[in-house]
C-alpha cells in the first residue's frame, strides 16, 4: 500500500491499494474561512498517492488568489493599530479631564460620581495597559515574537489582563448600583460604596492572582499571550462572561422598569416623547454597562475575527471617551457648575483689571501730577532759600 504522507498542509495515514482515504480540512483553515469540507486521496496500484480531490481551494473554501498577502495584512493591522491607538488616546485625555472635574468640585462628591470615577480609572488603566503591551511586545519588529519569553512581556500581559478584568467588574458595579437605586428607596451610600470598591478592585486582583499562578505552574510559555488551555483560559474568560451576562440581565430589567415608569406617569406627554426618552436612556446605558460585548461573549475566539476586532478594539477603544462625554461633559449639572466657575473667574479677572486700572489712573491723573509738583516745590531747598531771602528783604 501507500505509506503515510505529509503533503505540506496535512498528514495522510497509511492506506492499502485501491483504498480512498477521506479526512477533514486542516483546522488552521478556520482562521481564513468558515467552510468545513473534506479531502480525499486514492492509493493507486502504482504505490503512490493521487492528488487531493477536490482541491484544497474548493474543499476548504480557501482561494489563495483572493486572500490577503502578508504585506496586505500588515498594512491592514497597521491601519487598525492607528485607529485603536487614537481611540485610547482620546479616551485617556477625556477621562483624566472628567476625573479632574469630579474631584475639583465638592458638589460632585457623591456615591454615584465616586463609582463613575473608579470606572474612569479602570478605562484609563485599560488604555495604559494596551499602550504598554504594544510597546513591550511589538516595538522591535525584528524580534521573533513566537520565541519571546521575558519577565517584562509577561508582566505587561498580566497587567493587560488585570485592566480588562477591572474594567468589566466596574461596568458591573455601575449596573448593580443603578439597579439598587431603582429598587430601593433609601440607600446607605457609605455602606454600599466600600463594598463596591472592594468588589471592583478586589475581585479582579483575586482572579489575576489565580491566573498568574496557574500560568506559572501549567503553561509558562511565551509571553502568556499565546493560545491557552481550557483551565487557564476560563480563569480569565469565565468571570468576564459572568459580568457581561449579569450586566445584560440588569440592562434588560432597567429598560423594563423605565418603560413601566414612563407608562405610569400621569400627563407625561405623548407616546413619541416617551419613546424618545426611553431610546435616549437606552443609548446612555449601553456604553455604561458594556452591553455591546454580549455580541461575541459566547462565541469562540476565531468566530467573526474581523467583526470582533472592530467591536472590541475599534469601538471599545472609544468607549472611555463616550462614557466621559455622556456622564461628565454632557451632564447638565456639570455644565452649570462649569459655567458658574467660568463666570466667577471672569468676574475676578474683571475686578483685578479694574483695580489695577483705577490705581494706574490715579497715579497718572493730571490733577495728581500738579499736586505732586506743588508739594515738591514746597519742600525743595531752593524754595526755602527764596522764602528766607524775601523775609530778610521785607525786614
Amino acid at each position: 500500500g501507500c505509506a503515510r504522507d505529509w503533503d505540506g498542509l496535512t498528514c495522510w495515514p497509511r492506506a492499502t491499494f485501491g483504498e480512498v482515504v477521506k479526512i477533514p480540512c486542516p483546522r488552521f483553515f478556520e482562521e481564513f474561512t468558515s467552510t468545513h469540507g473534506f479531502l480525499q486521496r486514492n492509493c493507486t496500484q502504482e504505490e503512490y498517492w493521487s492528488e487531493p480531490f477536490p482541491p484544497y481551494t474548493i474543499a476548504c473554501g480557501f482561494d489563495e488568489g483572493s486572500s490577503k498577502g502578508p504585506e496586505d495584512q500588515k498594512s491592514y493591522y497597521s491601519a487598525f493599530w492607528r485607529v485603536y491607538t487614537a481611540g485610547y488616546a482620546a479616551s485617556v485625555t477625556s477621562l483624566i479631564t472628567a476625573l479632574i472635574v469630579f474631584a475639583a468640585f465638592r458638589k460632585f462628591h457623591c456615591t454615584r460620581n465616586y463609582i463613575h470615577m473608579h470606572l474612569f480609572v479602570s478605562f484609563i488603566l485599560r488604555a495604559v495597559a494596551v499602550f504598554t503591551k504594544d510597546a513591550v511586545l511589538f516595538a522591535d519588529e525584528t524580534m521573533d515574537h513566537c520565541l519571546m519569553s521575558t519577565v517584562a512581556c509577561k508582566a505587561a500581559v498580566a497587567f493587560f489582563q488585570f485592566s480588562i478584568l477591572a474594567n468589566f467588574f466596574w461596568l458591573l458595579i455601575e449596573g448593580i448600583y443603578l439597579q439598587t437605586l431603582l429598587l430601593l428607596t433609601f440607600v446607605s451610600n457609605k455602606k454600599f460604596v466600600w463594598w463596591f470598591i472592594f468588589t471592583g478592585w478586589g475581585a479582579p486582583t483575586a482572579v489575576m492572582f489565580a491566573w498568574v499562578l496557574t500560568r506559572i505552574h501549567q503553561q509558562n510559555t511565551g509571553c502568556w499571550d499565546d493560545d491557552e488551555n481550557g483551565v487557564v483560559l476560563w480563569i480569565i474568560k469565565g468571570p468576564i462572561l459572568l459580568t457581561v451576562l449579569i450586566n445584560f440581565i440588569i440592562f434588560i430589567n432597567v429598560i423594563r422598569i423605565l418603560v413601566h415608569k414612563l407608562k405610569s406617569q400621569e400627563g407625561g406627554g405623548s407616546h413619541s416623547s416617551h419613546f424618545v426618552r426611553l431610546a435616549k436612556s437606552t443609548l446612555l446605558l449601553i456604553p455604561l454597562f458594556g452591553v455591546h460585548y454580549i455580541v461575541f461573549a459566547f462565541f469562540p475566539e476565531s468566530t467573526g475575527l474581523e467583526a470582533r476586532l472592530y467591536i472590541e478594539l475599534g469601538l471599545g477603544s472609544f468607549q472611555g471617551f463616550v462614557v466621559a462625554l455622556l456622564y461628565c461633559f454632557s451632564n447638565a449639572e456639570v455644565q452649570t457648575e462649569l459655567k458658574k466657575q467660568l463666570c466667577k473667574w471672569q468676574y475676578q479677572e474683571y475686578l483685578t483689571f479694574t483695580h489695577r486700572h483705577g490705581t494706574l489712573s490715579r497715579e497718572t491723573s493730571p490733577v495728581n501730577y500738579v499736586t505732586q509738583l506743588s508739594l515738591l516745590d514746597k519742600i525743595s531747598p531752593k524754595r526755602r532759600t527764596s522764602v528766607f531771602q524775601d523775609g530778610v528783604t521785607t525786614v
Side-chain angles (χ1 to χ4, degrees):
C2 299
R4 286 195 304 175
D5 179 57
W6 170 256
D7 66 356
L9 291 175
T10 190
C11 186
W12 296 86
R14 290 173 179 166
T16 58
F17 294 126
E19 182 182 358
V20 177
V21 179
K22 182 179 181 181
I23 61 172
C25 289
R27 287 190 60 186
F28 65 82
F29 276 107
E30 296 176 3
E31 299 290 336
F32 313 103
T33 176
S34 58
T35 304
H36 303 285
F38 289 88
L39 298 157
Q40 298 182 15
R41 286 182 84 178
N42 184 21
C43 180
T44 64
Q45 294 292 340
E46 290 80 10
E47 297 185 6
Y48 66 84
W49 287 99
S50 66
E51 290 296 322
F53 61 92
Y56 278 99
T57 55
I58 297 175
C60 304
F62 179 68
D63 187 0
E64 189 175 358
S66 63
S67 64
K68 294 179 180 179
E71 290 301 321
D72 294 333
Q73 280 194 337
K74 184 177 180 180
S75 177
Y76 169 75
Y77 287 119
S78 178
F80 202 79
W81 171 80
R82 292 188 183 93
V83 171
Y84 78 73
T85 300
Y88 280 122
S91 295
V92 169
T93 304
S94 58
L95 289 166
I96 291 177
T97 307
L99 276 175
I100 294 173
V101 170
F102 280 159
F105 297 96
R106 291 183 59 86
K107 185 178 181 180
F108 301 138
H109 293 184
C110 59
T111 302
R112 171 172 55 89
N113 289 332
Y114 287 153
I115 294 176
H116 285 341
M117 291 169 73
H118 282 279
L119 179 66
F120 294 168
V121 171
S122 72
F123 273 115
I124 293 172
L125 284 180
R126 185 169 183 169
V128 172
V130 170
F131 294 147
T132 305
K133 183 170 177 279
D134 287 349
V136 174
L137 270 67
F138 307 112
D140 188 1
E141 295 183 358
T142 62
M143 183 177 293
D144 188 352
H145 180 253
C146 296
L147 300 177
M148 184 180 180
S149 181
T150 62
V151 176
C153 75
K154 292 176 182 178
V157 172
F159 176 53
F160 175 73
Q161 298 283 19
F162 171 78
S163 66
I164 292 177
L165 281 167
N167 192 217
F168 276 103
F169 270 96
W170 275 106
L171 290 170
L172 176 62
I173 295 298
E174 288 280 0
I176 293 174
Y177 179 69
L178 183 57
Q179 180 73 53
T180 305
L181 290 179
L182 291 174
L183 293 178
L184 301 179
T185 306
F186 301 100
V187 180
S188 177
N189 291 337
K190 292 183 179 179
K191 177 183 177 182
F192 280 96
V193 70
W194 288 110
W195 281 107
F196 288 151
I197 293 174
F198 178 77
T199 305
W201 296 113
T205 303
V207 173
M208 200 66 246
F209 187 70
W211 182 78
V212 170
L213 288 179
T214 308
R215 263 291 190 174
I216 291 174
H217 293 290
Q218 291 193 10
Q219 198 177 3
N220 192 13
T221 57
C223 283
W224 293 357
D225 64 331
D226 51 356
D227 293 334
E228 300 168 320
N229 60 40
V231 177
V232 179
L233 174 65
W234 281 99
I235 290 177
I236 293 287
K237 193 172 183 179
I240 290 177
L241 290 181
L242 183 63
T243 60
V244 170
L245 181 61
I246 295 175
N247 246 4
F248 184 72
I249 295 172
I250 293 175
F251 173 75
I252 298 298
N253 191 42
V254 169
I255 297 301
R256 182 188 63 81
I257 294 174
L258 288 175
V259 171
H260 178 72
K261 287 182 177 292
L262 289 174
K263 286 183 177 180
S264 63
Q265 287 180 347
E266 297 180 0
S270 62
H271 291 289
S272 61
S273 64
H274 288 168
F275 178 77
V276 170
R277 291 170 64 187
L278 178 62
K280 183 179 178 181
S281 301
T282 304
L283 292 174
L284 287 172
L285 292 174
I286 286 175
L288 185 67
F289 286 6
V291 177
H292 53 285
Y293 291 113
I294 199 72
V295 177
F296 292 103
F298 300 97
F299 290 99
E301 293 291 332
S302 59
T303 303
L305 186 60
E306 289 198 4
R308 183 188 292 272
L309 285 175
Y310 278 111
I311 290 179
E312 292 189 356
L313 274 179
L315 296 179
S317 63
F318 287 95
Q319 187 183 358
F321 171 76
V322 173
V323 168
L325 183 67
L326 293 178
Y327 298 97
C328 180
F329 304 119
S330 298
N331 188 301
E333 293 182 34
V334 174
Q335 291 179 352
T336 302
E337 197 66 25
L338 289 177
K339 287 178 182 178
K340 286 182 180 178
Q341 188 64 39
L342 182 61
C343 291
K344 183 178 178 181
W345 287 338
Q346 289 178 342
Y347 183 67
Q348 288 178 346
E349 286 292 327
Y350 171 75
L351 289 179
T352 305
F353 173 77
T354 53
H355 176 72
R356 290 177 179 175
H357 183 70
T359 305
L360 185 62
S361 63
R362 285 194 300 271
E363 290 177 352
T364 59
S365 121
V367 177
N368 190 37
Y369 183 68
V370 172
T371 306
Q372 290 177 349
L373 283 178
S374 61
L375 180 62
L376 288 172
D377 186 56
K378 287 180 180 179
I379 64 175
S380 64
K382 292 183 178 180
R383 170 69 180 171
R384 289 180 180 178
T385 306
S386 61
V387 170
F388 176 75
Q389 290 176 352
D390 289 345
V392 171
T393 304
T394 305
V395 173

